[in-house]
Amino acid sequence: MKAWQLIDQYDLQLVQRTETTDFSTQVKVKTTKAMLSKDDVTIYNGNDKTFYPLILGKSAVGIVVEAEENIYGLEKNMRVYLDPISNCKKCYSCTIGQPKDCSNFQIAGINSEGFMKDFVVIPFESVYQLPKSVSDDEALFIDYISLAISVIDKLQIQKGEHVVIIGGNVVGNIIAQLIIYYQAVPIIIDDNEAFLDVAKRSGIYYTLSADGKTEREVSELTGGRMASKVVYVTSCGLNTEIAIKVSRANATVAFVGFNYSNIRVTFTQAMQKQLRFHCITNGYGNAESSINIIANHAINLKNFELMKATFSTVPKVFAEADELLKKQQDVNNYVVDMMV
């Protein structure tokens, strides 16, 4: 097996090793495509050595090459999505049969081995067959959609209510589209005009620039009530005070994202408004629902620009993306062809 492993900060190396497979519980998958995102780059240039060495890559699809017969219906040559999230099976919640409340989720490419490798040995319960109506590129967004489903569930979003989303990147955009699917009304706020343009083309009607007029504009859109549900996307880079200011008294604010380093919140106004907070970092248990959402064309993924890369050019892509972040420029998602 060949894999790109992060040995230390900025130290990405090609490694080779042999893996055994227990076919009573695992399947072997040939990785065909993986996604390289801004979240991966922030791990690459970070200084948290807790999980080094680490194989990166959180989203991937592939082809089953070896599987025991009659195991979850998985068969050789089946096209599948690899779910990056698993519960730890050791904490209190897991031992009492409540894995959704796991206190130590294992997430591929973040705190456990990722998918930036040519073959993956993975538990069969983490493998999902992809229908023909879901392309490989679309399947790489399943993790984003799963996260958005967790937001909908946790906030208990109701038909017709306004939901403010701070951050118009891919995460915020998909959450907004799913809110529309559930017949509520999203309001996206960002200081990136390109993100707001993509949001408009994705069918999101209310898009606001993050400036001195934001609070007043939210008040106007909500009839003076402000928002009872607010989502702050942790990778957006905007001041968290915006989320507090656009919230009404007793509102619920969710901090959402795969990466959440350097988030700061001032609680003075939050205490005055008696706000409730949720932290949502993954979409555990939602992969199958996400596949159905894509298959039914419930959200539009075509407006997200995907750059192309190959397995051999992964180090170059990381280095270039890191330079963009240093210049405070945004990083597009890359689809990595793992066969080249």
Side-chain angles (χ1 to χ4, degrees):
M1 181 206 74
K2 296 186 298 182
W4 287 112
Q5 188 174 60
L6 189 63
I7 306 300
D8 204 337
Q9 184 182 13
Y10 296 114
D11 186 5
L12 191 63
Q13 296 183 17
L14 185 64
V15 298
Q16 296 198 40
R17 69 176 191 223
T18 301
E19 289 188 343
T20 58
T21 307
D22 179 359
F23 288 111
S24 65
T25 60
Q26 298 174 316
V27 296
K28 187 173 183 179
V29 176
K30 169 62 178 174
T31 315
T32 54
K33 287 188 177 181
M35 181 178 281
L36 192 159
S37 70
K38 179 180 178 180
D39 294 315
D40 296 304
V41 181
T42 57
I43 295 171
Y44 166 80
N45 66 18
N47 54 18
D48 184 357
K49 303 179 187 299
T50 307
F51 302 108
Y52 292 165
L54 178 68
I55 293 176
L56 299 177
K58 187 162 62 68
S59 296
V61 297
I63 302 293
V64 174
V65 291
E66 293 183 66
E68 188 74 27
E69 290 186 10
N70 302 318
I71 294 291
Y72 272 57
L74 297 173
E75 300 176 354
K76 189 174 181 179
N77 297 322
M78 182 177 285
R79 193 170 62 97
V80 294
Y81 167 72
L82 308 180
D83 192 344
I85 309 163
S86 59
N87 62 303
C88 73
K89 302 179 176 62
K90 298 177 182 178
C91 70
Y92 176 74
S93 296
C94 289
T95 57
I96 63 170
Q98 297 177 358
K100 270 188 170 288
D101 297 325
C102 176
S103 61
N104 188 28
F105 281 108
Q106 301 300 292
I107 304 176
I110 294 181
N111 61 1
S112 66
E113 192 166 279
F115 302 137
M116 200 66 70
K117 52 187 179 181
D118 55 357
F119 289 95
V120 174
V121 175
I122 187 170
F124 52 72
E125 65 266 23
S126 296
V127 178
Y128 292 84
Q129 182 181 7
L130 291 171
K132 292 181 179 179
S133 57
V134 175
S135 70
D136 286 352
D137 287 3
E138 289 174 324
L140 293 174
F141 286 96
I142 289 172
D143 196 36
Y144 289 102
I145 300 170
S146 295
L147 179 69
I149 293 173
S150 288
V151 173
I152 300 294
D153 292 343
K154 183 68 73 172
L155 293 186
Q156 298 181 340
I157 292 173
Q158 304 297 314
K159 179 180 178 180
E161 71 177 336
H162 290 88
V163 183
V164 172
I165 302 164
I166 316 299
N169 56 16
V170 175
V171 174
N173 186 304
I174 288 177
I175 292 171
Q177 289 196 56
L178 203 60
I179 287 172
I180 293 173
Y181 179 70
Y182 283 93
Q183 301 182 333
V185 184
I187 303 170
I188 281 188
I189 297 172
D190 207 301
D191 61 358
N192 187 316
E193 290 300 321
F195 288 165
L196 296 180
D197 180 62
V198 172
K200 293 171 185 175
R201 288 188 280 117
S202 300
I204 301 159
Y205 188 76
Y206 296 117
T207 60
L208 304 178
S209 295
D211 53 32
K213 300 181 293 183
T214 304
E215 190 174 355
R216 174 176 57 80
E217 291 174 329
V218 171
S219 178
E220 291 173 354
L221 290 174
T222 58
R225 298 188 301 272
M226 305 304 283
S228 61
K229 308 284 175 64
V230 177
V231 176
Y232 177 89
V233 179
T234 57
S235 57
C236 73
L238 296 171
N239 195 315
T240 55
E241 286 188 5
I242 300 174
I244 310 301
K245 289 180 178 179
V246 300
S247 301
R248 72 173 70 165
N250 299 301
T252 301
V253 180
F255 291 87
V256 180
F258 305 116
N259 187 290
Y260 38 87
S261 60
N262 301 319
I263 299 297
R264 300 287 184 270
V265 181
T266 302
F267 278 95
T268 303
Q269 194 174 4
M271 294 290 289
Q272 292 171 347
K273 289 186 174 183
Q274 300 184 76
L275 303 181
R276 296 180 293 272
F277 290 90
H278 290 296
C279 299
I280 304 170
T281 61
N282 66 76
Y284 176 78
N286 297 329
E288 194 166 7
S289 297
S290 298
I291 292 170
N292 289 334
I293 284 172
I294 298 173
N296 292 325
H297 307 291
I299 63 173
N300 182 2
L301 300 173
K302 295 180 180 179
N303 291 319
F304 300 129
E305 183 178 3
L306 290 172
M307 308 295 285
K308 302 296 181 182
T310 64
F311 183 77
S312 61
T313 62
V314 163
K316 179 182 177 183
V317 172
F318 268 104
E320 291 175 350
D322 178 60
E323 287 300 316
L324 290 175
L325 288 185
K326 287 177 179 176
K327 297 174 183 177
Q328 297 186 326
Q329 298 179 26
D330 199 60
V331 174
N332 288 322
N333 286 339
Y334 283 79
V335 174
V336 181
D337 186 341
M338 302 294 288
M339 310 286 282
V340 182

